[in-house]
């Protein structure tokens, strides 16, 4: 039992179960004299069946359920708002216990669907082209609040336990608000819970974590979690990347590339994704594309080209289609996959770099936002 739990117990407060790792759950139950098999049963109810109350746990005796309810709670983030796009993309604005909010987005495809999960409320990175980066960091999310986003999405689709082959939520991308590697421990525990085979069971092959380049933690992502790595590269020279992605001043491109080269598990069947936002006249020339090929030449990689998603007040513009096509062609000629991220959910403001911001603006003007013309 950690100090928080002890303090809670002393104060008579109930300990939140969602977000505890298996070990922590076992310890919390042991502390009230419950055997290890109860922890396994409980885990199954929480993460396989998605139970939201102890009453639902019918394989437990009434007495055990009552004891658990006295000491523990099972909390989901509340849904402030749920929006579904005409293309099926669904966005939830979720509210946590202290009233802070974050967004997560489900992007369905024919035979699968990825949930884009937030790691922080706000962000400290201040990437020049990202709207979320203009909002100040409010706080890190807890492990329970991170895995809670996955649980809310499963609730919404009624996929507990559901037939795995029929699920709409099959993949997780840590690409929502915030920098996941500035909240590593909570993100890692949330992903461990999501990957656990006796629960949510989304395998590491179906999870991708995106970082702006927190180099010292990249190796641990591969070693401890084994999930796929995406890197927000966006520029091929330090001079430009210093401006676009300011964390580059701390961890420049050469250092970042070395970490990618050494990423545990990177190979052709498990390539590193380099994200590259297409900014008109800034980073989108054929020379940039050729330099990018050189930069990643010894890394099993693919490049995800993201048309810039504009927001009010930004000086950046999105490259035009012909420029993006040309850029992609240079990468493909060098045998790199270079998909252009298709616009999804533009009618509900579910775009890269815009999460949360619309809800803040919307509240201020108290009227629905018009759809953005170029939302990604
Ligand atoms: N902090 C993480 C997750 C960020 S969001 C990271 O930096 O990787 C996912 C991707 O969207 C990142 O590559 C980010 O750089 C990109 N992005 C941010 N704002 C954008 C915008 N306005 N248009 C297009 N892509 C954007």
């Amino acid at each position: 039992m950690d100090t928080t739990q002890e303090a809670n117990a002393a104060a008579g407060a109930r300990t939140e179960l969602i977000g505890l790792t298996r070990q922590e759950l076992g310890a919390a139950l042991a502390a009230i004299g419950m055997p290890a098999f109860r922890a396994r049963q409980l885990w199954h109810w929480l993460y396989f069946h998605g139970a939201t109350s102890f009453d639902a746990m019918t394989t437990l005796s009434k007495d055990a359920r009552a004891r658990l309810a006295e000491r523990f709670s099972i909390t989901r983030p509340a849904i402030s708002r749920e929006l579904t796009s005409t293309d099926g993309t669904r966005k939830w604005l979720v509210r946590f216990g202290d009233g802070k909010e974050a967004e997560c987005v489900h992007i369905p495809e024919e035979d699968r669907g990825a949930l884009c999960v937030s790691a922080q409320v706000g962000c400290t990175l201040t990437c020049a082209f990202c709207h979320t980066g203009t909002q100040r960091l409010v706080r890190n999310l807890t492990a329970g609040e991170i895995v809670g986003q996955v649980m809310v999405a499963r609730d919404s689709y009624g996929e507990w336990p559901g037939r795995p082959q029929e699920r709409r939520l099959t993949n997780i991308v840590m690409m929502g608000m915030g920098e996941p590697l500035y909240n590593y421990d909570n993100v890692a525990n949330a992903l461990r819970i999501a990957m656990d085979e006796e629960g949510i069971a989304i395998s590491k092959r179906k999870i991708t974590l995106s970082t702006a380049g927190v180099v010292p933690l990249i190796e641990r992502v591969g070693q401890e979690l084994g999930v796929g790595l995406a890197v927000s590269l966006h520029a091929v020279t330090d001079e430009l990347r210093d401006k676009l992605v300011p964390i580059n001043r701390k961890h420049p491109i050469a250092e970042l590339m070395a970490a990618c080269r050494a990423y545990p598990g990177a190979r052709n069947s498990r390539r590193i994704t380099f994200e590259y936002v297409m900014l008109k006249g800034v980073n989108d020339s054929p020379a940039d594309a050729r330099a990018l090929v050189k930069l990643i030449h010894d890394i099993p990689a693919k490049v995800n080209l993201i048309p810039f998603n504009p927001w009010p007040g930004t000086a950046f513009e999105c490259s035009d289609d012909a420029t993006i096509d040309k850029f992609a062609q240079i990468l493909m000629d060098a045998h790199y996959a270079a998909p252009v991220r298709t616009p999804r959910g533009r009618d509900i403001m579910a775009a890269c770099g815009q999460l949360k911001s619309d809800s803040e603006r919307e509240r201020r003007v108290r009227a629905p936002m018009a759809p953005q013309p170029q939302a990604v």
Side-chain angles (χ1 to χ4, degrees):
M1 213 191 215
D2 69 19
T3 44
T4 327
Q5 283 178 31
E6 275 159 18
N8 283 348
R14 291 181 300 165
T15 300
E16 176 56 41
L17 291 182
I18 301 299
L20 298 187
T21 61
R22 255 179 191 282
Q23 291 76 0
E24 288 167 343
L25 184 68
L29 261 57
I32 61 161
M34 284 199 172
F37 79 86
R38 278 266 179 267
R40 282 198 301 276
Q41 278 180 315
L42 198 52
W43 184 274
H44 202 71
W45 278 111
L46 294 176
Y47 298 116
F48 182 79
H49 293 291
T52 51
S53 77
F54 294 103
D55 276 346
M57 302 182 180
T58 46
T59 56
L60 273 64
S61 70
K62 282 220 161 112
D63 174 54
R65 283 185 249 163
R67 280 177 65 208
L68 289 167
E70 230 168 70
R71 306 296 295 259
F72 302 112
S73 56
I74 305 168
T75 312
R76 295 277 201 276
I79 298 176
S80 287
R81 214 159 57 138
E82 178 180 293
L83 291 170
T84 306
S85 157
T86 48
D87 71 14
T89 300
R90 191 173 289 184
K91 182 176 82 166
W92 297 268
L93 176 65
V94 294
R95 194 175 56 243
F96 306 108
D98 63 353
K100 301 280 185 285
E101 294 179 323
E103 289 192 331
C104 62
V105 178
H106 181 252
I107 306 131
E109 283 171 52
E110 196 115 315
D111 53 348
R112 63 198 177 117
L115 186 73
C116 182
V117 172
S118 291
Q120 300 179 308
V121 175
C123 191
T124 54
L125 289 171
T126 67
C127 298
F129 50 84
C130 180
H131 199 192
T132 311
T134 65
Q135 306 172 239
R136 68 190 174 87
L137 173 77
V138 180
R139 66 171 174 85
N140 278 336
L141 295 181
T142 64
E145 291 167 339
I146 296 167
V147 76
Q149 296 169 58
V150 179
M151 300 175 83
V152 157
R154 275 224 171 143
D155 291 345
S156 171
Y157 287 128
E159 295 190 342
W160 299 106
R163 287 214 281 223
Q165 58 288 10
E166 285 166 14
R167 272 190 200 130
R168 285 186 274 189
L169 200 176
T170 57
N171 293 52
I172 294 175
V173 291
M174 289 300 312
M175 292 187 188
M177 295 168 64
E179 167 52 51
L181 298 190
Y182 279 166
N183 186 18
Y184 180 79
D185 291 338
N186 289 328
V187 167
N189 281 343
L191 292 182
R192 286 187 186 107
I193 294 170
M195 289 189 283
D196 190 289
E197 284 176 10
E198 286 168 50
I200 295 170
I202 296 180
S203 93
K204 61 184 180 183
R205 336 209 117 264
K206 298 192 168 173
I207 299 179
T208 303
L209 182 149
S210 176
T211 179
V214 184
V215 170
L217 284 172
I218 287 180
E219 190 183 356
R220 283 181 68 190
V221 175
Q223 219 151 51
E224 296 173 9
L225 305 174
V227 300
L229 180 70
V231 171
S232 295
L233 187 62
H234 306 316
V236 291
T237 63
D238 282 325
E239 196 194 352
L240 181 60
R241 196 163 188 273
D242 279 352
K243 291 191 196 119
L244 295 182
V245 187
I247 195 181
N248 194 67
R249 294 176 208 154
K250 211 168 178 183
H251 304 295
I253 293 177
E255 224 183 274
L256 180 58
M257 290 300 134
C260 291
R261 244 173 256 124
Y263 188 68
R267 56 186 175 275
N268 257 338
S269 60
R270 193 89 166 109
R271 290 169 291 173
I272 292 175
T273 304
F274 288 98
E275 294 159 288
Y276 198 94
V277 62
M278 298 303 294
L279 302 170
K280 189 180 210 159
V282 175
N283 65 353
D284 61 351
S285 72
D288 286 313
R290 287 190 293 269
L292 178 54
V293 168
K294 265 202 194 135
L295 203 57
I296 61 177
H297 83 276
D298 54 355
I299 301 174
K302 62 177 172 224
V303 180
N304 207 332
L305 299 175
I306 315 176
F308 171 63
N309 180 54
W311 35 273
T314 181
F316 294 107
E317 286 174 78
C318 185
S319 315
D320 31 65
D321 290 351
T323 309
I324 297 177
D325 287 348
K326 205 162 161 189
F327 198 97
Q329 195 56 52
I330 294 171
L331 293 166
M332 288 187 287
D333 288 347
H335 307 293
Y336 285 103
V340 179
R341 204 173 276 182
T342 337
R344 295 296 300 266
R346 71 167 71 160
D347 52 337
I348 55 163
M349 297 285 292
C352 294
Q354 282 210 315
L355 294 188
K356 171 81 187 286
S357 44
D358 81 305
S359 29
E360 285 201 336
R361 278 203 308 278
E362 201 170 309
R363 202 161 297 138
R364 209 175 315 137
V365 297
R366 292 184 184 281
M369 286 287 295
Q372 289 290 294
Q374 288 206 48
V376 180

